[in-house]
Amino acid sequence: VNILTKLVAGVLEKNSLPPAIFTSFCGGADIGQAIAKDTRIPLVSFTGSSKVGLMVQQTVNQRFGKCLLELSGNNAIIVMDDADIQLAVRSILFAAVGTAGQRCTTCRRLLLHESIYDRVIDQLLSVYKQVKVGDPLEKGTLLGPLHTSESRKNFEKGIETIKSQGGKILTGGSVIESEGNYVQPTIVEISPKADVVKEELFAPVLYVMKFQTLQDAIEINNSVPQGLSSSIFTRKPEVIFKWIGPQGSDCGIVNVNIPTNGAEIGGAFGGEKATGGGREAGSDSWKQYMRRSTCTINYGNELPLAQGINFGS
């Protein structure tokens, strides 16, 4: 029996609940396919890549089941010319490097106003040099290893693709030769039009790009297939309201002066477009996990009929 299942079962039993409420399986695609095809499971919640999520959705839809998808993110932080630079730099570091870039809400794109571009880059390069790499269980470690050796290979392939599409490595860009799947935290200067920027590289790689106007920044933010999380750093109310309004970010999470990975537990978590449209937690969660029914009760003896129909007395 899976260790996680045992731990949760103990908690459920202590609270006089049946332990079978929660069951955890460790396996490959075969288990996922079985869940997606099983008509006894009315709702399938899937977290993973957009590619696999589309396959899950198609399988579940074929049996008229419901899907809740939380898929790929390609999250951007915008730093305006009036932003608190120190606050922005700390936020960017945590969002881009924390968990070795392996969060769905990791910051993968950094959009800097041209007037503060060099200043922010200089500060970022300085703090990147101070990042402690090692055992994530040790105090003070910000960057741990990638999840698997395959992830490390994907990082290496990604760096080669970045270089082939005109990307300039400002820092990092290499694996760390040591026990474990460690890679260097990486900053890349690249055009927002490069194809590789449209994809999610699940590693601590940050794409930086320059913009002139807020409209430019919003268009770059919205130019990728994914739509999970986004953030802007500014002090101007008019910029904030444009950003969070219908002509602003097209993501499911739209933050101001906090990073993309600052998830508020009370909010509906999820994204739009290729992120899948699902919402976990928050205000919309119950709509996803419960069956909704409309109920009309007639307490009288008469039957009101539409369109003037009358059965007579």
Side-chain angles (χ1 to χ4, degrees), residues 79 110-114 116-117 120-121 208-211:
V79 184
L110 176 60
L111 285 51
L112 300 174
H113 190 275
E114 59 182 2
I116 48 102
Y117 185 87
V120 174
I121 292 297
V208 294
M209 47 204 78
K210 192 181 296 184
F211 70 88

Side-chain angles (χ1 to χ4, degrees), residues 37-112:
K37 291 178 180 179
D38 198 323
T39 56
R40 296 171 298 176
I41 303 174
L43 170 67
V44 176
S45 175
F46 174 79
T47 299
S49 70
S50 296
K51 179 181 177 181
V52 177
L54 184 59
M55 295 165 59
V56 171
Q57 185 178 52
Q58 290 171 341
T59 302
V60 174
N61 284 349
Q62 283 177 348
R63 59 177 178 83
F64 296 104
K66 290 173 64 179
C67 247
L68 196 167
L69 303 175
E70 202 276 278
L71 310 176
S72 301
N74 195 347
N75 317 296
I77 289 179
I78 297 171
V79 184
M80 297 298 294
D81 54 349
D82 69 311
D84 181 329
I85 301 300
Q86 287 189 333
L87 177 64
V89 168
R90 291 199 304 270
S91 300
I92 295 160
L93 177 68
F94 175 64
V97 177
T99 332
Q102 297 170 111
R103 289 185 182 182
C104 54
T105 53
T106 290
C107 177
R108 309 207 179 276
R109 297 178 295 144
L110 176 60
L111 285 51
L112 300 174

Side-chain angles (χ1 to χ4, degrees), residues 46-204:
F46 174 79
T47 299
S49 70
S50 296
K51 179 181 177 181
V52 177
L54 184 59
M55 295 165 59
V56 171
Q57 185 178 52
Q58 290 171 341
T59 302
V60 174
N61 284 349
Q62 283 177 348
R63 59 177 178 83
F64 296 104
K66 290 173 64 179
C67 247
L68 196 167
L69 303 175
E70 202 276 278
L71 310 176
S72 301
N74 195 347
N75 317 296
I77 289 179
I78 297 171
V79 184
M80 297 298 294
D81 54 349
D82 69 311
D84 181 329
I85 301 300
Q86 287 189 333
L87 177 64
V89 168
R90 291 199 304 270
S91 300
I92 295 160
L93 177 68
F94 175 64
V97 177
T99 332
Q102 297 170 111
R103 289 185 182 182
C104 54
T105 53
T106 290
C107 177
R108 309 207 179 276
R109 297 178 295 144
L110 176 60
L111 285 51
L112 300 174
H113 190 275
E114 59 182 2
S115 67
I116 48 102
Y117 185 87
D118 292 336
R119 183 178 164 197
V120 174
I121 292 297
D122 288 345
Q123 290 192 30
L124 272 178
L125 292 175
S126 177
V127 294
Y128 262 60
K129 292 175 182 176
Q130 301 170 37
V131 171
K132 182 180 177 182
V133 181
D135 185 346
L137 297 178
E138 292 181 1
K139 188 175 181 180
T141 301
L142 179 61
L143 183 67
L146 294 180
H147 184 54
T148 62
S149 58
E150 188 65 26
S151 297
R152 187 170 67 171
K153 291 177 184 175
N154 288 337
F155 170 83
E156 292 180 288
K157 292 176 185 175
I159 294 298
E160 291 305 312
T161 302
I162 287 165
K163 291 178 179 177
S164 70
Q165 294 184 14
K168 178 184 176 183
I169 308 296
L170 301 183
T171 186
S174 301
V175 300
I176 298 174
E177 298 301 334
S178 64
E179 186 178 353
N181 304 308
Y182 290 91
V183 300
Q184 294 176 339
T186 302
I187 299 176
V188 176
E189 196 173 56
I190 195 167
S191 166
K193 296 180 180 180
D195 289 340
V196 71
V197 175
K198 313 293 185 187
E199 303 169 4
E200 181 186 44
L201 179 57
F202 217 59

Side-chain angles (χ1 to χ4, degrees), residues 5-6 8-13 16-23:
T5 302
K6 283 186 175 181
V8 176
V11 174
L12 292 170
E13 287 172 343
S16 302
L17 293 168
I21 288 176
F22 177 89
T23 305

